[in-house]
Amino acid sequence: MVNMHTIKNKNTNKILLILILGIYFYLCVLMLKICLAYFPWQDDNNFLALKQDVVTTQPWRFAFQVHVLVSSLLLIAGFTQFFSQIRQKFPKIHRYSGWLYIISVFIFALPSGFIMAFSAAGGWQTKLCFILLSILWGVSTFIALYKIIKKDWLAHHDWMIRSFALALSALSLRTWKIILYNLQPYFDWLTPVHIYQLEAWLGWVINLIIAEVIILKLHQNKKP
C-alpha cells in the first residue's frame, strides 16, 4: 500500500513537472518570437510605437536592443540551474549555463533594464517599480555569486531562486497583462495606464513571494 502511494506521488510529480516544463518552454518560445519581431529594426514596431519620445535617443535605444536580444537566452540559461539531473549528470553544463546567466545579467540585462526603467511609461509608480526590480535583481544575483564562491551551496541555491524569480518577470508581466485586459470589461477604473502599472508590479512582486514560499518549503523538507 505504501509502495503504491509512493508510485502515485512520483507519477503525479512527473506529470506536474512535464506540465511546468511545457508551459515554461511555450512562454520562452513566445518571448523569443516577440523579441525577434523587432528585427529588422523599425522605430514604430510593436511596443516601440508607444516609445516615440525616446526610441531614437541614446542610450535608451541601445539598451532596448540589448535587453531584447539577451532576454530569451538568459531565461533558458537560468532555468537549467534548477534541475538536479543536469547538475548531477552534466555538471559542466550546469556550471557554464550558470556563468552564462550571471554574466548576461550583470553585463547586459541589468544595465539595459536599469536605463530603460527611467523612461518607463505609466508615471513615477512604474518607474519606481522597474528601478526597484533592477536593484533587487542585481543584489540577489550578486549574493548568489558570492555564496557559490564561498561554497555555501544551500544559500547559493536560495539566492538563485530569488534571482531567477525576478528574471521571470519578463514572462509573468506579459501573463498579467493578458489577465488584466480580460478583466477590464468588469472594472471601469481599469484603464490601459492602470493595467500597465499593475502588470509591472505584479510581474515581479508575486514571483518573489512564490520564491520565498518555495525556499521555505525546501528548508522544511530538509529538516529531520
Side-chain angles (χ1 to χ4, degrees):
M1 192 72 178
V2 176
N3 290 336
M4 288 297 295
H5 182 70
T6 303
I7 293 170
K8 187 177 179 180
N9 284 340
K10 286 182 178 179
N11 290 336
T12 303
N13 290 337
K14 285 181 180 178
I15 293 170
L16 185 61
L17 179 61
I18 292 169
L19 181 62
I20 291 171
L21 284 172
I23 293 171
Y24 176 79
F25 282 111
Y26 168 75
L27 290 172
C28 278
V29 170
L30 187 63
M31 185 75 181
L32 182 61
K33 186 178 178 181
I34 292 170
C35 293
L36 292 176
Y38 288 102
F39 301 94
W41 183 263
Q42 292 181 355
D43 289 342
D44 59 351
N45 192 13
N46 297 329
F47 171 74
L48 298 176
L50 305 174
K51 304 299 294 183
Q52 292 302 298
D53 56 328
V54 291
V55 70
T56 58
T57 64
Q58 297 293 3
W60 191 93
R61 179 170 175 164
F62 180 71
F64 180 82
Q65 291 172 331
V66 169
H67 208 73
V68 164
L69 287 170
V70 172
S71 56
S72 297
L73 176 65
L74 188 147
L75 291 173
I76 294 170
F79 196 65
T80 61
Q81 297 301 290
F82 302 100
F83 283 93
S84 57
Q85 295 91 337
I86 293 176
R87 188 168 59 250
Q88 292 168 4
K89 295 181 180 179
F90 309 101
K92 286 186 178 180
I93 292 177
H94 173 79
R95 193 179 307 116
Y96 292 152
S97 61
W99 277 110
L100 178 61
Y101 173 81
I102 289 172
I103 290 169
S104 297
V105 170
F106 284 126
I107 296 180
F108 301 110
L110 186 60
S112 59
F114 195 71
I115 290 169
M116 291 166 57
F118 288 93
S119 299
W124 67 267
Q125 297 94 330
T126 314
K127 289 182 176 66
L128 176 62
C129 169
F130 287 123
I131 290 169
L132 281 175
L133 170 59
S134 297
I135 293 170
L136 291 173
W137 192 20
V139 169
S140 58
T141 308
F142 177 79
I143 296 175
L145 175 61
Y146 175 77
K147 293 297 182 181
I148 196 64
I149 291 172
K150 292 292 184 181
K151 301 189 184 301
D152 188 347
W153 314 114
L154 182 59
H156 165 72
H157 188 257
D158 291 348
W159 283 101
M160 275 299 294
I161 290 173
R162 295 182 179 106
S163 172
F164 193 61
L166 294 169
L168 283 174
S169 63
L171 297 178
S172 53
L173 182 148
R174 287 162 175 81
T175 305
W176 280 109
K177 182 177 183 176
I178 295 169
I179 294 170
L180 291 169
Y181 268 106
N182 280 308
L183 291 174
Q184 190 180 30
Y186 305 101
F187 301 95
D188 294 334
W189 59 270
L190 205 54
T191 64
V193 172
H194 288 133
I195 287 174
Y196 191 67
Q197 291 172 344
L198 283 170
E199 71 186 55
W201 283 98
L202 291 170
W204 65 267
V205 172
I206 300 299
N207 287 9
L208 207 52
I209 292 171
I210 293 172
E212 293 303 324
V213 172
I214 291 172
I215 291 168
L216 180 63
K217 291 291 183 182
L218 289 173
H219 283 247
Q220 287 177 344
N221 291 338
K222 288 181 179 179
K223 289 181 179 179

